Amino acid sequence: MPSYTAPTKDQQFVLHDLLNIHDAKISGYEDLDRDTTAAILEESAKIAENVMAPLNVVGDQQGCKLENGIVRTPTGFKAAFDEVRAGGWTALDCDPEYGGQGLPYIVATAVGEQFSAANIAFNMYAGLTHGAYSAIHAHGTDAQKATYLPKMVNCDWTGTMNLTEPHCGTDLGLMRTKAVPQDDGTYQISGQKIFISAGDHDLSDNVIHLVLAKIPGGPEGIKGVSLFIVPKYIVNEDGSLGDRNGVSVGKIEKKMGINGNATCVLDYDEATGYLLGDMHKGMRAMFTMMNEARLGVGLQGFAQAEVAYQNAVDYAKDRLQGRDVTGVKNPEGPADPLIVHPDIRRNLMDQKSFIEGGRAFIYWGAFMLDMAHRNDDKATEGLVSLLTPVIKGYLTDKGFDYAIAAQQVYGGHGYIEEWGMSQYARDARITMIYEGANGVQALDLVGRKLATDGGKHVMAFFDLVKTFCKENADDDAMTDFTGPLKEASKDLQAAGMYFMQNGMKNPNNALSGSYDFMHMFGLVCLGLMWGRMAKAATEKLAEGAEDAAFYETKLATARYYMARQLPMTVTHLRRIESGGDTVMALDAEQF
Amino acid sequence: MPSYTAPTKDQQFVLHDLLNIHDAKISGYEDLDRDTTAAILEESAKIAENVMAPLNVVGDQQGCKLENGIVRTPTGFKAAFDEVRAGGWTALDCDPEYGGQGLPYIVATAVGEQFSAANIAFNMYAGLTHGAYSAIHAHGTDAQKATYLPKMVNCDWTGTMNLTEPHCGTDLGLMRTKAVPQDDGTYQISGQKIFISAGDHDLSDNVIHLVLAKIPGGPEGIKGVSLFIVPKYIVNEDGSLGDRNGVSVGKIEKKMGINGNATCVLDYDEATGYLLGDMHKGMRAMFTMMNEARLGVGLQGFAQAEVAYQNAVDYAKDRLQGRDVTGVKNPEGPADPLIVHPDIRRNLMDQKSFIEGGRAFIYWGAFMLDMAHRNDDKATEGLVSLLTPVIKGYLTDKGFDYAIAAQQVYGGHGYIEEWGMSQYARDARITMIYEGANGVQALDLVGRKLATDGGKHVMAFFDLVKTFCKENADDDAMTDFTGPLKEASKDLQAAGMYFMQNGMKNPNNALSGSYDFMHMFGLVCLGLMWGRMAKAATEKLAEGAEDAAFYETKLATARYYMARQLPMTVTHLRRIESGGDTVMALDAEQF
């Protein structure tokens, strides 16, 4: 049976030693001193470890069941959900006007890491609600906000996002769901939506569906899409629940993972819907939440690697197999623990250096989102928009890879469901797909974000790297880190240059390299994070910090990252510079 | 519902255009002309496509059930198994003396590709039998061979291999299962074995377990392990089945995949066993089958990528989503098919170039095994022994990666079990683990095989590459291929040199790079295969071959491989040359 221990010390290292959130001049960060974040993270850790983690395997094994039109979640989910709601954990970064706690997004991110690692499927019920909450908060009328938000903040009512239809996911312009205007200002929504996470369940009194649909007679394609609020139960004037609306669960999908979450086919049959935001501007309304949602998925992917890693380390220390080739390490026992073997080390160091670097990256992203929103900082908003597809794409691809790597440490036991490692891999797999498949993230990065505002955000990123390297140029202790980082950053710049010079001639030259570029960018971002973490650790050691071993570990892991992970940029660059011709050479029938 | 179409044309390209098996001077190859292999592969294709493939999803969904001590296989497995047996498909490369067809291993490999792609779990019942058959064939007494082999050749009786115990997999010296000698020359076997594939089932009349166990008083550790035949039903003198032996199924494991195959815990309680081969030489007996078994697992891994790729291509041609950025390709439709998009191409070309290169590599391996065994060619035996961990490790790692990549083409549909792509990935996952986890393959390669016979086999490999490049140095059409191959081969040599120079000082310098080296070696092997395939295609085109498009496709795919896959050696080399220090820097408690 796998377990989870919240890495609060590592989390605090990123929050305070790396990002210095206690000193950040961001509105709402005033109270985020070390004691406060420690108090929050220790409380959330209890929930993650004791309430959520024990239900992770249960959710996977039982899945959700559709019985007479009613969706039943796995045993224990309802009680746990009530405990989480009662503790205020769904309301952390919500607006105090509607009952939220008003904490910055970075706090929600740190807590979210713990929750996602402990039980991703369970946390999606609140996660989707938060997405719907944000949409209504950003685009709703005062009346809509007053009706829905107070109930959604604490998950009395949960929410969903309805985009996909059987024939369209990425290309939502093909959408068929219709919204027919009624005399009373409402709309009748009809159509089928699929892959609706947390689409229905027995955890809350009402489910507030946000549904994209087309109003007949509107513009063709994506420009004719509007967003609607479609509650499972109609809400009466007085706020009480009225009639069942015309939305029903067609089926629950049988999936590779996240079985504890009900992924539903939802059939809308003249359901009553209320326009949210402007007519035909549904995509824009969706997009305002996109950065946050994609960061959230990046967090999920990375978190699966984290919990898988923890368990792999325990197993590697515990399992006796073979002897250390440089000399017996466990003479009392029949064999040495797995962790003495260099290839097991290589595997665990890959995981560790990714996980700690990934955490820094995603917390930095959350930090920038707070700065953008709370300080209305446009430059930072541009930078975090640029990096969002990297966070989503890179952290989920690698999160999955390292969940697989952790599973590998277990040998045959990793393949047996009883040990739980398969579930982490199967659960992580979805994060590469939903909220925009990673190929679409790469396209967004190279086809859109790179050139935004004349390319000034990517230049700002390179300046960050350059400045960091320059600031530490005279520090001998730092050249182990700045050297490789500078080199990798140059590779990334060269790739960007290649796109500029050759993408004009033929966009396929750029788009054929988009996936490599996304990964390359991720590598350099983690390189920057490791450089900064090495700096922070060096300073702590110079200050004579108490827990020297902790900071030494950071330095050793940073060195590993520079030596073994970062050089991957070289291959990515080679691929990119080979251009689009070999990629596009075949006719479709030659495949 | 996924489907499978046997790629007989591609298979024949490798057999005849690349390997020229019809001209090979190998004993038993005399009749392997194009018509013969075509006839065999077309017949086996019918079985793979029509009998096995339709049961793939069934096996996954139903799994195997243990009912009152009896293992029930999924619906349809028994009838299909009978059809396969009746067709002689289990006897292809078995000894004619015992009812086999005496065909070379390369034919069994080509047929095995089809069968594994169509239904890996189903084919493991015959596959494990073949392994047990080979062990008895190599090490059995005449009486043992006469008793068991005729029944095992056609799978009237099936076989298993019992190595792993709960506390030991890789390190079999820790084994606890005991074999106590009896006065009548038999042994009483007691202990628990786990992860026994095809461990029990309702497909055959008897199950012949080959069991590793220790005879009390023998040498400590791995040197005291012997191999025993332990039939489920004791075989009477006259060959009829007698009493049930003391072996029972403790449970069937719930696994990530290959659910159609019963992975059993087997409890031996004073079961009657017969010594197979010499006392205390059980590991040696096992090892004689190792190369073949590991090649077989490499084949399984690669085959899952192949079938997943086929389906991904179909989906990419069928699914309409978005428009080609260089101009609309499907003006009549609401969108263009996925396959127009560069990143989908990149993904499919990665898969295609791996699969076709991987096929060539593994068929070459089978070809060399035949040459080694049938022509008693020691040099070739040394080379194929060297390459076996590469075939197993690289082809299964990449086979899994590309099954995941194929799943990604489906977007959300890839995550839904109904579409079948998840199963290919879940099934492929085991191939990285069993028959020696891939980390152990890397260790075998770097820690043992590289230095075997004074390193002469790895030198022979480099000579092959060098000779190929030299032979084609003056051919302008070939420099696109020989150039990158030469460069990658140099990287591989440099890595080997690094090990030699630094592994003596500290073996961790070599073993920390073992995994990278295994992958690097795989890349170069596929590079050599693609070089040779390009050469063969060029010659065919020069001859004015009928199907020019087929050969042009090979050339284009070879170019893709050289441009986009092979440069990965650069990063592997960088990692290796960074040495073992960063890998081994942490104490166990720092993880």
Side-chain angles (χ1 to χ4, degrees):
Chain A
M1 184 78 156
S3 69
Y4 176 65
T5 308
T8 50
K9 191 168 183 178
D10 279 313
Q11 294 186 297
Q12 285 217 296
F13 171 74
V14 174
L15 294 175
H16 296 290
D17 295 335
L18 179 72
L19 297 174
N20 290 301
I21 62 167
H22 48 280
D23 274 343
K25 303 285 172 271
I26 299 176
S27 163
Y29 272 47
E30 297 79 8
D31 300 329
L32 294 184
D33 55 48
R34 281 177 196 266
D35 289 346
T36 303
T37 60
I40 295 171
L41 291 176
E42 276 155 27
E43 284 307 307
S44 57
K46 288 181 199 158
I47 298 285
E49 295 168 6
N50 306 327
V51 178
M52 295 173 180
L55 291 176
N56 198 41
V57 172
V58 176
D60 186 54
Q61 289 179 350
Q62 289 188 13
C64 297
K65 290 183 181 60
L66 181 61
E67 292 168 357
N68 303 320
I70 293 167
V71 175
R72 304 281 178 209
T73 54
T75 308
F77 268 43
K78 175 78 174 115
F81 198 69
D82 287 343
E83 192 171 341
V84 171
R85 296 181 329 106
W89 295 107
T90 66
L92 279 183
D93 62 336
C94 293
D95 188 343
E97 198 179 329
Y98 303 103
Q101 298 185 37
L103 284 164
Y105 182 60
I106 196 162
V107 175
T109 298
V111 170
E113 176 193 329
Q114 297 179 352
F115 288 1
S116 280
N119 195 327
I120 173 175
F122 175 84
N123 279 288
M124 288 170 64
Y125 294 101
L128 270 296
T129 306
H130 195 281
Y133 156 89
S134 296
I136 295 173
H137 192 267
H139 302 286
T141 62
D142 287 344
Q144 286 173 334
K145 292 198 230 183
T147 301
Y148 297 104
L149 297 188
K151 294 288 193 177
M152 294 176 77
V153 161
N154 69 355
C155 285
D156 272 349
W157 300 350
T158 57
T160 72
M161 310 293 277
N162 291 237
L163 288 78
T164 307
E165 299 183 5
H167 60 289
C168 69
T170 301
D171 189 354
L172 290 169
L174 304 176
M175 186 175 293
R176 290 180 194 146
T177 299
K178 279 199 171 45
V180 180
Q182 306 297 299
D183 292 342
D184 62 355
T186 67
Y187 291 79
Q188 270 189 357
I189 314 288
S190 299
Q192 189 179 64
K193 293 288 182 179
I194 65 169
F195 302 160
I196 309 307
S197 297
D200 198 25
H201 51 80
D202 51 9
L203 303 179
S204 64
D205 298 333
N206 202 1
V207 182
I208 312 304
H209 303 292
L210 296 197
V211 184
L212 286 177
K214 284 184 173 173
I215 300 169
E220 285 292 298
I222 201 71
K223 289 181 178 148
V225 169
S226 307
L227 186 58
F228 299 89
I229 299 173
V230 185
K232 176 177 171 182
Y233 292 99
I234 301 285
V235 181
N236 296 323
E237 289 281 322
D238 64 356
S240 65
L241 297 185
D243 292 343
R244 188 77 153 77
N245 205 349
V247 49
S248 59
V249 180
K251 70 166 169 173
I252 300 180
E253 302 285 3
K254 201 170 152 7
K255 308 186 298 291
M256 187 177 184
I258 53 166
N259 292 322
N261 199 276
T263 304
C264 297
V265 173
L266 291 183
D267 294 311
Y268 292 87
D269 184 15
E270 302 190 347
T272 300
Y274 311 96
L275 185 68
L276 177 62
D278 294 335
M279 195 181 284
H280 309 319
K281 304 285 191 214
M283 289 310 292
R284 212 170 58 185
M286 278 286 173
F287 266 102
T288 55
M289 297 164 300
M290 206 67 99
N291 284 344
E292 201 177 301
R294 290 184 169 175
L295 228 73
V297 175
L299 187 73
Q300 289 180 329
F302 139 79
Q304 293 308 300
E306 185 210 316
V307 63
Y309 165 76
Q310 287 188 7
N311 285 280
V313 167
D314 288 348
Y315 190 82
K317 288 180 184 172
D318 190 56
R319 175 87 171 174
L320 305 180
Q321 209 80 177
R323 289 293 187 188
D324 187 335
V325 68
T326 64
V328 169
K329 287 290 181 306
N330 177 33
E332 312 294 305
D336 289 342
L338 281 182
I339 203 163
V340 305
H341 301 300
D343 187 61
I344 295 284
R345 288 285 179 132
R346 188 259 329 147
N347 184 349
L348 292 176
M349 288 301 294
D350 274 348
Q351 296 174 49
K352 183 177 173 65
S353 61
F354 163 73
I355 290 159
E356 296 179 18
R359 174 181 297 117
F361 185 25
I362 204 161
Y363 285 21
W364 180 44
F367 181 81
M368 287 192 286
L369 270 187
D370 278 334
M371 190 172 306
H373 296 159
R374 290 171 171 260
N375 287 8
D376 199 24
D377 179 335
K378 292 291 173 210
T380 301
E381 177 149 36
L383 182 57
V384 73
S385 281
L386 169 75
L387 295 179
T388 294
V390 182
I391 291 175
K392 197 282 183 182
Y394 187 71
L395 293 190
T396 60
D397 273 1
K398 290 291 159 186
F400 173 73
D401 283 351
Y402 291 121
I404 291 290
Q407 183 187 24
Q408 189 74 11
V409 172
Y410 282 68
H413 299 278
Y415 201 65
I416 306 298
E417 291 295 346
E418 187 185 337
W419 289 80
M421 300 307 283
S422 159
Q423 187 189 349
Y424 295 132
R426 291 185 289 99
D427 285 359
R429 183 69 183 87
I430 189 58
T431 64
M432 298 158 68
I433 298 173
Y434 64 18
E435 201 58 44
N438 285 354
V440 175
Q441 303 296 330
L443 180 65
D444 178 45
L445 175 66
V446 170
R448 228 157 51 94
K449 297 287 176 66
L450 269 191
T452 304
D453 297 330
K456 84 172 179 197
H457 306 300
V458 71
M459 293 314 299
F461 175 80
F462 287 127
D463 279 345
L464 280 181
V465 176
K466 219 175 293 171
T467 305
F468 174 78
C469 292
K470 206 182 276 175
E471 282 172 1
N472 294 286
D474 299 332
D475 185 350
D476 285 348
M478 285 299 293
T479 50
D480 282 3
F481 311 106
T482 51
L485 175 59
K486 216 188 294 179
E487 222 179 304
S489 178
K490 261 189 212 153
D491 288 343
L492 184 64
Q493 275 178 283
M497 197 62 78
Y498 177 86
F499 290 159
M500 289 224 293
Q501 289 169 346
N502 300 278
M504 292 298 218
K505 266 196 316 230
N506 184 346
N508 289 338
N509 280 327
L511 298 181
S512 295
S514 58
Y515 213 89
D516 282 288
F517 189 78
M518 178 174 77
H519 272 242
M520 211 173 175
F521 215 144
L523 284 156
V524 175
C525 286
L526 263 65
L528 177 60
M529 294 300 107
W530 271 119
R532 288 177 173 176
M533 288 195 283
K535 176 81 179 170
T538 304
E539 285 173 358
K540 283 284 163 188
L541 287 166
E543 285 168 19
E546 251 179 56
D547 192 357
F550 178 81
Y551 295 107
E552 295 288 3
T553 304
K554 293 289 172 212
L555 286 174
T557 311
R559 275 198 193 90
Y560 181 91
Y561 184 84
M562 298 299 170
R564 294 252 169 182
Q565 299 261 40
L566 205 48
M568 186 64 204
T569 57
V570 181
T571 294
H572 286 307
L573 179 60
R574 290 269 293 263
R575 284 184 188 151
I576 287 168
E577 290 185 339
S578 74
D581 288 352
T582 63
V583 177
M584 306 304 291
L586 299 186
D587 291 334
E589 54 276 17
Q590 286 179 290
F591 278 90
Chain B
M1 184 79 155
S3 69
Y4 176 66
T5 307
T8 49
K9 192 168 181 177
D10 279 313
Q11 294 186 295
Q12 285 218 296
F13 171 74
V14 173
L15 293 175
H16 295 288
D17 295 335
L18 179 72
L19 297 174
N20 291 299
I21 62 167
H22 48 279
D23 273 343
K25 302 288 171 268
I26 299 177
S27 163
Y29 272 48
E30 297 79 9
D31 299 328
L32 294 185
D33 56 48
R34 280 177 196 267
D35 289 346
T36 303
T37 60
I40 295 171
L41 292 176
E42 276 155 29
E43 284 308 307
S44 58
K46 286 180 201 159
I47 298 286
E49 294 168 5
N50 306 327
V51 178
M52 295 173 179
L55 291 176
N56 198 41
V57 172
V58 176
D60 186 54
Q61 289 179 351
Q62 289 188 13
C64 296
K65 290 182 183 61
L66 180 61
E67 292 169 358
N68 304 320
I70 294 167
V71 175
R72 304 283 179 208
T73 54
T75 309
F77 268 43
K78 174 78 174 116
F81 197 70
D82 287 343
E83 192 171 342
V84 172
R85 296 183 327 109
W89 295 107
T90 65
L92 278 184
D93 62 337
C94 293
D95 188 343
E97 199 179 328
Y98 303 103
Q101 298 185 37
L103 285 164
Y105 183 60
I106 197 163
V107 175
T109 299
V111 170
E113 175 194 329
Q114 296 178 353
F115 288 1
S116 280
N119 194 327
I120 172 175
F122 175 85
N123 279 288
M124 288 169 64
Y125 293 101
L128 270 296
T129 307
H130 195 281
Y133 155 89
S134 296
I136 296 173
H137 192 267
H139 302 284
T141 62
D142 287 344
Q144 286 173 334
K145 291 197 232 184
T147 302
Y148 298 104
L149 296 188
K151 293 290 192 177
M152 293 177 77
V153 161
N154 69 355
C155 284
D156 271 350
W157 301 349
T158 56
T160 72
M161 310 294 276
N162 291 237
L163 288 77
T164 307
E165 298 183 7
H167 59 289
C168 69
T170 301
D171 188 354
L172 289 170
L174 304 176
M175 186 175 294
R176 290 180 194 146
T177 298
K178 281 200 170 42
V180 180
Q182 306 297 300
D183 291 342
D184 62 357
T186 66
Y187 292 78
Q188 269 188 357
I189 315 287
S190 298
Q192 189 178 65
K193 293 287 181 178
I194 65 169
F195 302 161
I196 310 308
S197 297
D200 197 25
H201 51 81
D202 51 10
L203 302 179
S204 64
D205 297 333
N206 202 1
V207 182
I208 312 304
H209 303 293
L210 296 197
V211 183
L212 286 177
K214 284 184 172 174
I215 300 169
E220 286 291 298
I222 200 72
K223 289 182 178 145
V225 169
S226 306
L227 185 58
F228 298 89
I229 299 174
V230 186
K232 176 177 171 182
Y233 291 100
I234 301 284
V235 181
N236 297 324
E237 289 281 322
D238 64 357
S240 64
L241 296 186
D243 291 343
R244 188 76 153 78
N245 205 349
V247 49
S248 59
V249 179
K251 70 166 170 172
I252 300 179
E253 303 285 2
K254 201 169 151 10
K255 309 185 298 292
M256 187 178 183
I258 52 165
N259 292 322
N261 198 276
T263 304
C264 297
V265 172
L266 290 183
D267 294 313
Y268 291 88
D269 183 14
E270 302 190 347
T272 300
Y274 312 95
L275 184 67
L276 177 61
D278 295 335
M279 195 181 285
H280 308 321
K281 304 284 191 216
M283 288 310 293
R284 212 171 57 184
M286 278 287 173
F287 266 102
T288 56
M289 297 163 302
M290 207 67 99
N291 284 344
E292 201 177 301
R294 291 185 168 175
L295 228 72
V297 174
L299 187 73
Q300 289 180 330
F302 139 78
Q304 293 308 299
E306 184 210 317
V307 62
Y309 165 74
Q310 287 188 6
N311 284 280
V313 167
D314 288 347
Y315 190 81
K317 288 179 183 172
D318 189 56
R319 174 87 170 174
L320 305 180
Q321 209 80 179
R323 289 294 189 187
D324 187 336
V325 68
T326 64
V328 170
K329 287 290 183 304
N330 176 35
E332 312 294 305
D336 289 342
L338 281 182
I339 202 163
V340 304
H341 301 301
D343 187 61
I344 295 285
R345 288 285 180 132
R346 189 256 333 144
N347 183 349
L348 292 176
M349 288 300 293
D350 274 348
Q351 296 175 51
K352 183 178 173 65
S353 60
F354 163 73
I355 289 159
E356 295 178 19
R359 175 181 296 116
F361 185 25
I362 203 160
Y363 284 22
W364 181 43
F367 181 81
M368 287 192 286
L369 270 188
D370 278 333
M371 190 174 304
H373 296 160
R374 289 170 171 261
N375 287 8
D376 198 24
D377 179 336
K378 293 292 172 209
T380 301
E381 178 149 36
L383 182 56
V384 74
S385 281
L386 170 75
L387 295 180
T388 294
V390 181
I391 291 176
K392 197 282 183 182
Y394 187 71
L395 293 190
T396 60
D397 273 2
K398 289 293 158 183
F400 173 72
D401 282 352
Y402 291 121
I404 291 290
Q407 182 187 23
Q408 190 73 11
V409 173
Y410 282 67
H413 299 278
Y415 201 66
I416 306 298
E417 291 295 347
E418 187 186 340
W419 289 79
M421 300 306 283
S422 159
Q423 186 188 350
Y424 295 133
R426 290 185 290 100
D427 285 359
R429 183 70 183 87
I430 188 58
T431 64
M432 298 158 67
I433 299 173
Y434 64 18
E435 201 57 43
N438 285 356
V440 176
Q441 303 297 329
L443 180 65
D444 178 45
L445 176 66
V446 170
R448 228 157 53 95
K449 298 287 177 67
L450 268 190
T452 304
D453 298 330
K456 85 172 180 197
H457 306 299
V458 71
M459 293 314 300
F461 175 81
F462 287 126
D463 278 345
L464 279 182
V465 176
K466 220 176 291 173
T467 305
F468 175 77
C469 291
K470 206 182 276 176
E471 280 173 1
N472 294 286
D474 299 332
D475 185 349
D476 284 348
M478 285 299 293
T479 49
D480 283 3
F481 311 107
T482 51
L485 175 59
K486 216 188 295 178
E487 222 179 304
S489 177
K490 261 188 213 154
D491 288 342
L492 185 65
Q493 276 178 281
M497 196 61 78
Y498 177 85
F499 291 158
M500 289 222 295
Q501 290 169 345
N502 299 278
M504 291 297 220
K505 262 193 324 225
N506 185 346
N508 289 338
N509 280 326
L511 299 181
S512 295
S514 59
Y515 214 88
D516 281 288
F517 190 77
M518 177 175 77
H519 272 242
M520 212 172 176
F521 214 145
L523 284 156
V524 175
C525 286
L526 263 65
L528 177 61
M529 293 300 107
W530 271 120
R532 288 178 173 176
M533 288 195 283
K535 176 81 177 169
T538 304
E539 285 173 357
K540 282 284 163 187
L541 287 166
E543 285 168 19
E546 251 179 55
D547 193 357
F550 177 82
Y551 296 107
E552 296 286 4
T553 304
K554 293 289 172 211
L555 287 175
T557 311
R559 277 199 191 89
Y560 181 91
Y561 184 84
M562 299 298 169
R564 293 251 170 185
Q565 299 260 41
L566 205 46
M568 186 64 204
T569 57
V570 181
T571 294
H572 286 306
L573 179 60
R574 291 269 292 263
R575 285 183 186 153
I576 287 169
E577 291 184 339
S578 74
D581 289 351
T582 63
V583 177
M584 306 304 291
L586 299 186
D587 291 334
E589 52 277 15
Q590 286 178 289
F591 279 89

